[in-house]
Amino acid sequence: MPRNISYSEKYNDELYEYRHVILPSEVSKMAPKNRLMSETEWRQLGVQQSRGWEHYAIHKPEPHILLFRRVLGTDPLTGLAPAKMQAKPAVMAQQQQGVTAR
C-alpha cells in the first residue's frame, strides 16, 4: 500500500508559520492519539519536511491531521529560529495571560 501523506500549503500569523499534514489511515493507526509527537516520532511515520517544525496541537475530531508550526524565519537546514524571534513566543504567551515582561 502506498503511503500518500498530504501536505498543506504553509500559512502564517505574526509569529509562526503553520502547515498541516494529513496521514493516510494505515499510517494514522501508528500515531499516538493522546499526545504530541517528537520530531523523531513523526519522521518515523514518514512525514518529510525541513527542520524546525514542531507538532504543536492535536485536533481530536481529526487525529489523522497533524498540526505543525515553526517560528517565522527559521533556517530550514538547521531548524534554528532567528535570534530576534527566539524570545517572542514567551513574550506573547505572557501578554495573552495578562502578564507584561519587564
Side-chain angles (χ1 to χ4, degrees), residues 34-79:
N34 59 354
R35 65 175 179 80
L36 299 174
M37 288 185 281
S38 68
E39 181 174 347
T40 300
E41 290 175 308
W42 51 260
R43 287 192 187 281
Q44 286 175 342
L45 290 176
V47 175
Q48 297 178 358
Q49 46 189 357
S50 56
R51 294 183 177 217
W53 289 100
E54 157 190 41
H55 180 213
Y56 77 96
I58 297 170
H59 182 55
K60 297 240 185 231
E62 298 177 303
H64 65 288
I65 300 177
L66 306 180
L67 305 172
F68 290 94
R69 72 179 179 191
R70 69 177 170 189
V71 174
L72 285 173
T74 295
D75 183 316
L77 297 178
T78 65

Side-chain angles (χ1 to χ4, degrees), residues 5-100:
I5 296 174
S6 299
Y7 301 85
S8 74
E9 294 294 322
K10 297 174 195 167
Y11 45 100
N12 64 277
D13 60 19
E14 67 278 353
L15 183 59
Y16 292 103
E17 67 179 323
Y18 301 90
R19 79 169 344 159
H20 57 273
V21 175
I22 302 172
L23 300 176
S25 61
E26 73 271 8
V27 177
S28 179
K29 290 175 188 172
M30 297 183 288
K33 304 293 184 263
N34 59 354
R35 65 175 179 80
L36 299 174
M37 288 185 281
S38 68
E39 181 174 347
T40 300
E41 290 175 308
W42 51 260
R43 287 192 187 281
Q44 286 175 342
L45 290 176
V47 175
Q48 297 178 358
Q49 46 189 357
S50 56
R51 294 183 177 217
W53 289 100
E54 157 190 41
H55 180 213
Y56 77 96
I58 297 170
H59 182 55
K60 297 240 185 231
E62 298 177 303
H64 65 288
I65 300 177
L66 306 180
L67 305 172
F68 290 94
R69 72 179 179 191
R70 69 177 170 189
V71 174
L72 285 173
T74 295
D75 183 316
L77 297 178
T78 65
L80 298 176
K84 67 181 181 180
M85 295 292 282
Q86 288 178 356
K88 284 193 176 188
V91 170
M92 288 186 73
Q94 287 177 342
Q95 289 171 346
Q96 289 175 351
Q97 295 172 2
V99 178
T100 56

